[in-house]
Amino acid sequence: MKSLSEIETTSKRASKALGYSWGEAEEIGKGIRLLELFGLPGIKILNHYYKMKKNEKFENLALVNENNISEEHSYCPIKLGINFLDQINRLEKFKKIKFQKVSFPLLMLPFISRASELIGKKIYIKLDEIKFLLNLNMNISSNLLNQDYLLIAHQVEIDFIENKDNFLENEWRNLYKLSEETFVEETESLKQSGAGAGLTDND
């Protein structure tokens, strides 16, 4: 079994050989490592995309907006992912971001996952009918189970989820009240034995 380090290094070098800059190749390597870590077929998808890239054209999107419609060719998922990550501080102000026609859209997932960590918010992404919840770059949950990966997503929607508790206030109060039973009442002996409470001056 290949290590995550091998996966990242080989993906990076292969990307550089295909014409990406070393900086871009490094980001791609990190992304493929993340996909494999989360149980998604990163190496398989990257291989397929690079074979197609030699003969087909893909559109690069430099400035990401709320609604993004490709003019002719489908978007390159790697350039799109890198630019999304670079522009995340501006993009998080939008409630929803849409793209039309993104090739091999799973390749953009790791960049959006890392963006989730940067802004400290969960990000919900929908690739046609496949849904993902990206949780601060800690995990990816999805309804994609034993399905073939998408070659192209005709509609991509990204939503930023505002942070909030997953429980009611009364549920929190009940649990907190129970936790108070572990609190130890401070006594004179505890005060004497506490940090910095010694009676002897050693100076």
Side-chain angles (χ1 to χ4, degrees):
M1 182 176 178
K2 301 296 184 290
S3 69
L4 290 175
S5 178
E6 288 177 297
I7 289 171
E8 180 175 344
T9 299
T10 300
S11 299
K12 177 175 68 175
R13 290 177 176 172
S15 299
K16 174 58 180 174
L18 203 65
Y20 289 98
S21 69
W22 274 119
E24 292 171 330
E26 186 171 346
E27 295 299 319
I28 295 167
K30 291 177 183 176
I32 299 304
R33 175 190 179 117
L34 197 61
L35 285 176
E36 291 290 341
L37 177 64
F38 290 153
L40 295 170
I43 291 291
K44 186 175 183 178
I45 299 171
L46 191 66
N47 256 310
H48 195 168
Y49 178 60
Y50 281 174
K51 286 179 182 178
M52 290 188 65
K53 196 174 187 302
K54 293 178 180 178
N55 301 313
E56 295 190 23
K57 292 183 178 180
F58 297 95
E59 191 170 328
N60 294 329
L61 181 64
L63 183 65
V64 181
N65 293 302
E66 284 185 273
N67 292 290
N68 306 274
I69 302 174
S70 57
E71 296 179 1
E72 184 177 357
H73 306 286
S74 57
Y75 287 122
C76 166
I78 291 173
K79 292 283 190 179
L80 182 57
I82 290 173
N83 289 330
F84 186 95
L85 180 60
D86 287 343
Q87 299 168 34
I88 188 58
N89 289 327
R90 176 179 63 85
L91 296 178
E92 71 164 313
K93 298 174 184 177
F94 300 137
K95 290 184 177 180
K96 186 187 293 288
I97 299 175
K98 296 182 179 181
F99 303 93
Q100 284 190 4
K101 291 171 58 179
V102 179
S103 286
F104 294 82
L106 288 186
L107 290 176
M108 66 185 287
L109 276 186
F111 300 101
I112 301 175
S113 180
R114 289 167 60 196
S116 170
E117 181 182 23
L118 284 178
I119 62 174
K121 294 179 181 178
K122 295 177 184 177
I123 296 179
Y124 171 82
I125 179 170
K126 185 178 179 183
L127 311 174
D128 289 340
E129 297 306 314
I130 298 177
K131 303 170 185 178
F132 293 89
L133 181 63
L134 311 179
N135 185 18
L136 310 184
N137 208 29
M138 297 297 291
N139 59 61
I140 295 176
S141 54
S142 172
N143 65 340
L144 177 66
L145 294 173
N146 300 319
Q147 297 182 39
D148 290 333
Y149 56 85
L150 289 175
L151 297 183
I152 185 169
H154 298 282
Q155 296 289 338
V156 176
E157 295 183 1
I158 296 175
D159 291 281
F160 298 98
I161 302 175
E162 294 299 326
N163 294 323
K164 62 179 181 179
D165 295 327
N166 293 320
F167 46 83
L168 300 175
E169 183 60 29
N170 69 307
E171 293 171 332
W172 173 255
R173 286 197 300 267
N174 290 340
L175 196 63
Y176 188 83
K177 185 175 182 180
L178 182 62
S179 75
E180 288 181 322
E181 295 183 11
T182 65
F183 293 177
V184 179
E185 185 177 351
E186 190 174 38
T187 63
E188 191 61 33
S189 62
L190 285 174
K191 291 179 182 178
Q192 294 295 333
S193 62
L199 298 177
T200 304
D201 189 352
N202 293 321
D203 292 339

